[in-house]
């Protein structure tokens, strides 16, 4: 799945008129968070989402009018039973946002955001113009501001069935995925999407790799406890934002005792490792395990924002 800014660039290439809508504020319960975006096209197509239901329908109607007039506007909607009962949208909160029918004029910025290799801050000024934001800019001059960062890196040790389920899901969820293994018969693009970076070789060489500067997450799902322990003995010293390992609580206890006894890691270092990794959803099968793992990684990534 392409990131939103990649989809925006694709819309520019298609040369179809569109309006960009952004949620810039929320109060109480709402179907989406600040920063939710959607492109509304003159032919009725929508890319992205503001939360669906009557909220999105109302913004869509206003966006179509804005495309005809070329005039940007703000909106604020109270999501009570009077507004949304027919569509089941009775969140009780309110949302505010912007409709920008001339967003295509900022094509250069959208291309930069789509290919960002470092954080970029952009926003919408009170005259509805769109621009990058410098560090010394005054917050009061802007309706909306947002930091755009490159995808977080996800390193996966192991290329078996769990890794094969996690990798495509992680790519759809805006992680840049690298898979490490010593088995070329598994660590290849017959089993992983073409966007996956594959590193194949002996483990002792593979484990010399240094993390990128961007926030990085690690997942250990090799073919056995010994290989898991080998990878963990190196990765536990890497500055991962979050590091998880598949296995039982018993496995974690035994490995923890061994790591401390052999002075591979301190108790504090080991206790930062999530094992068993994943949100407890009573997962059965590799696809459900992948969902539970990525739910936890999304949660940890969100804490960085």
């Amino acid at each position: 799945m392409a990131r939103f800014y990649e989809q925006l660039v694709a819309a520019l290439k298609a040369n179809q008129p569109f309006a960009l809508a952004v949620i810039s504020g929320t109060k109480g319960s709402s179907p989406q968070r600040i920063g939710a975006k959607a492109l509304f096209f003159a032919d009725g197509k929508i890319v992205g989402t503001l939360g669906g239901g009557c909220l999105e329908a109302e913004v869509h109607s206003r966006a179509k009018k804005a495309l005809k007039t070329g005039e940007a506007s703000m909106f604020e909607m109270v999501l009570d039973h009077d507004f949304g009962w027919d569509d089941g949208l009775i969140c009780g909160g309110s949302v505010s946002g912007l409709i920008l029918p001339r967003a295509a004029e900022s094509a250069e910025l959208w291309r930069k955001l789509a290919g960002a290799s470092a954080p970029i801050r952009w926003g919408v000024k009170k005259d509805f113009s769109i621009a990058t934001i410098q560090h010394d800019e005054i917050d009061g001059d802007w309706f909306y501001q947002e930091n755009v960062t490159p995808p977080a890196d996800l390193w996966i040790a192991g290329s078996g069935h769990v890794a094969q389920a996690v990798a495509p899901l992680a790519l759809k969820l805006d992680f840049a995925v690298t898979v490490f293994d010593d088995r070329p018969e598994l660590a290849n693009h017959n089993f992983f999407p073409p966007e996956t970076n594959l590193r194949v070789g002996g483990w002792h060489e593979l484990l010399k790799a240094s993390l990128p500067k961007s926030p990085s997450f690690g997942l250990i799902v090799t073919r056995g406890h010994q290989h898991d322990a080998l990878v963990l003995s190196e990765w536990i010293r890497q500055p991962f934002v979050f590091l998880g390992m598949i296995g039982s609580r018993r496995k974690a206890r035994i490995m923890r005792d061994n790591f401390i006894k052999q002075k591979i890691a301190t108790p504090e270092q080991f206790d930062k490792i999530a094992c068993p990794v994943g949100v407890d959803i009573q997962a059965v099968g590799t696809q459900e395990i992948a969902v539970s793992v990525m739910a936890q990684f999304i949660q940890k990534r969100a804490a960085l924002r």
Side-chain angles (χ1 to χ4, degrees):
M1 178 185 295
R3 305 178 81 197
F4 181 80
Y5 295 107
E6 293 171 353
Q7 294 174 310
L8 206 163
V9 170
L12 292 171
K13 290 180 179 178
N15 200 28
Q16 296 178 332
F18 64 84
L20 168 64
V22 184
I23 299 295
S24 58
T26 64
K27 292 180 182 179
S29 178
S30 64
Q32 266 287 21
R33 298 172 61 182
I34 293 173
K37 304 176 195 66
L39 302 179
F40 295 96
F41 293 81
D43 64 1
K45 184 175 71 173
I46 301 174
V47 172
T49 182
L50 301 182
C54 49
L55 164 63
E56 195 157 279
E58 177 63 23
V59 177
H60 192 185
S61 176
R62 299 188 188 193
K64 288 172 69 176
K65 293 178 182 177
L67 282 171
K68 294 179 180 179
T69 64
E71 295 181 3
S73 63
M74 297 185 66
F75 64 84
E76 184 166 1
M77 301 177 193
V78 179
L79 308 178
D80 59 12
H81 64 282
D82 291 327
F83 176 70
W85 182 260
D86 288 343
D87 290 317
L89 188 60
I90 50 173
C91 303
S94 64
V95 297
S96 56
L98 307 168
I99 299 173
L100 308 168
R102 300 174 66 179
E105 295 177 4
S106 300
E108 182 178 354
L109 172 60
W110 306 135
R111 292 189 186 99
K112 286 182 179 179
L113 295 176
S117 58
I120 300 174
R121 189 167 182 81
W122 73 278
V124 182
K125 294 183 178 181
K126 289 193 172 179
D127 62 359
F128 292 105
S129 62
I130 299 168
T132 55
I133 302 173
Q134 305 303 318
H135 294 296
D136 57 352
E137 300 261 6
I138 300 174
D139 288 352
D141 291 339
W142 302 82
F143 278 139
Y144 175 76
Q145 297 184 21
E146 178 181 328
N147 282 321
V148 176
T149 58
D153 282 272
L154 172 58
W155 282 16
I156 303 176
S159 59
H161 56 289
V162 174
Q164 292 170 23
V166 168
L169 181 57
L171 288 166
K172 291 179 180 179
L173 296 170
D174 207 19
F175 286 85
V177 178
T178 301
V179 173
F180 298 77
D181 210 328
D182 60 350
R183 298 171 291 176
E185 67 272 17
L186 287 179
N188 63 69
H189 288 121
N190 291 326
F191 296 100
F192 291 92
E195 303 92 335
T196 311
N197 181 22
L198 300 172
R199 297 194 185 181
V200 184
W203 278 111
H204 291 286
E205 287 299 317
L206 291 174
L207 295 175
K208 292 178 182 179
S210 298
L211 284 178
K213 294 181 180 180
S214 57
S216 302
F217 297 74
L219 174 64
I220 301 174
V221 286
T222 72
R223 59 184 177 274
H225 296 341
Q226 291 184 351
H227 284 86
D228 284 351
L230 173 63
V231 174
L232 184 60
S233 68
E234 295 295 331
W235 281 14
I236 200 169
R237 293 191 289 271
Q238 293 269 29
F240 286 104
V241 171
F242 179 72
L243 178 58
M245 181 172 64
I246 200 163
S248 65
R249 290 182 174 83
R250 181 175 181 273
K251 170 184 174 178
R253 287 196 303 270
I254 293 172
M255 199 174 290
R256 182 182 189 274
D257 291 343
N258 288 336
F259 271 47
I260 294 169
K261 184 178 180 180
Q262 298 174 32
K263 296 184 179 180
I264 297 172
T266 65
E268 293 76 16
Q269 285 176 313
F270 198 96
D271 291 343
K272 292 180 180 179
I273 310 305
C275 182
V277 66
V279 176
D280 186 4
I281 57 172
Q282 304 297 307
V284 177
T286 55
Q287 298 301 322
E288 290 186 3
I289 291 171
V291 170
S292 74
V293 168
M294 290 313 304
Q296 189 172 35
F297 277 62
I298 291 168
Q299 187 180 58
K300 298 299 180 181
R301 182 178 61 182
L304 299 175
R305 296 171 178 169

